Amino acid sequence: MTYAVDRLHEEVAYVAYHFHWPREEILELDHHERRRWVREIARVNTRVNEGG
């Protein structure tokens, strides 16, 4: 099974934008770890946007 290239680019851009990590470092993360960082960033953004 392959991971959609467009989805991979979205995840890399999202993490890079918020954490300022280099692309190569993000791509070295395995799929599950990268998805976990995406979820954590989303949670932080939700709290900030809700004023909490």
Side-chain angles (χ1 to χ4, degrees):
M1 181 168 85
T2 61
Y3 199 59
V5 174
D6 289 342
R7 183 67 182 151
L8 177 61
H9 285 144
E10 288 174 6
E11 290 177 1
V12 171
Y14 191 72
V15 174
Y17 176 81
H18 289 283
F19 283 172
H20 309 285
W21 290 355
R23 180 184 60 149
E24 294 78 17
E25 188 172 336
I26 299 166
L27 288 171
E28 288 177 1
L29 300 172
D30 68 39
H31 171 74
H32 296 290
E33 187 172 4
R34 192 176 54 253
R35 288 295 303 146
R36 181 169 183 196
W37 283 114
V38 167
R39 285 191 307 271
E40 292 300 324
I41 293 167
R43 284 188 194 125
V44 168
N45 283 337
T46 299
R47 282 196 306 264
V48 167
N49 291 334
E50 292 175 351

